[in-house]
Amino acid sequence: MAIERTLSIIKPDATRRNLTGKINAKFEAAGLRIVAQKRIHLTIAQAEAFYGVHKARPFFAGLVAFMTSGPVVAQVLEGEAAVTKNRDIMGATDPKKAAPGTIRAEFAEDIEANSVHGSDATDTAAQEISFFFSGIEIVG
């Protein structure tokens, strides 16, 4: 399998409850390395730009409001099949459908406050990573 990089965001509901370490422990236990990380508070403009693909969807305004409601931890995860592995570790978007032991099954409050975001494909990952990080900030 190929070594990949993917973007992970620990969302405001999880940072508010001090779950960053517990969530990162799950990534690392699964063999993913954190090669870049920053804690930031997204502005409305930044959240709108990042989630722009969803602009026409009815949940867009709520998503932007939620993602700007507190700090997030943006990070780059690296490892074999990192995109798929990260999505498996996160679990289904709806925590009621997430498999036991996944981040969302354990920590999500609801379908919106679901604790984490992860890229859905390698091309998306590259775009999302470059949104938050310059090349010099990623240390492999």
Side-chain angles (χ1 to χ4, degrees):
M1 293 198 165
I3 299 295
E4 298 173 348
R5 288 182 174 163
T6 190
L7 183 79
S8 166
I9 300 175
I10 301 176
K11 295 181 177 182
D13 63 298
T15 61
R16 177 177 32 82
R17 293 178 289 143
N18 294 318
L19 297 174
T20 301
K22 290 179 180 179
I23 290 170
N24 283 340
K26 288 186 171 287
F27 295 138
E28 292 178 332
L32 295 173
R33 292 183 333 122
I34 301 166
V35 295
Q37 184 180 70
K38 62 175 77 170
R39 184 179 183 95
I40 58 174
H41 197 136
L42 291 170
T43 65
I44 290 172
Q46 289 169 327
E48 287 176 341
F50 184 75
Y51 287 106
V53 68
H54 300 301
K55 191 169 186 129
R57 303 187 92 175
F59 61 82
F60 180 73
L63 176 61
V64 169
F66 169 64
M67 291 300 292
T68 59
S69 69
V72 300
V73 176
Q75 52 196 10
V76 179
L77 306 177
E78 181 181 81
E80 288 189 16
V83 172
T84 301
K85 190 176 284 188
N86 180 38
R87 295 190 70 75
D88 290 345
I89 297 163
M90 289 190 309
T93 303
D94 182 347
K96 294 176 186 169
K97 298 177 182 174
T102 62
I103 291 168
R104 289 176 172 150
E106 288 188 28
F107 303 125
E109 295 178 320
D110 57 47
I111 196 165
E112 182 179 81
N114 62 16
S115 299
V116 285
H117 163 90
S119 304
D120 61 3
T122 54
D123 59 333
T124 309
Q127 293 169 358
E128 291 182 344
I129 289 168
S130 68
F131 185 90
F132 286 100
F133 297 95
S134 68
I136 197 168
E137 294 176 294
I138 302 170
V139 181

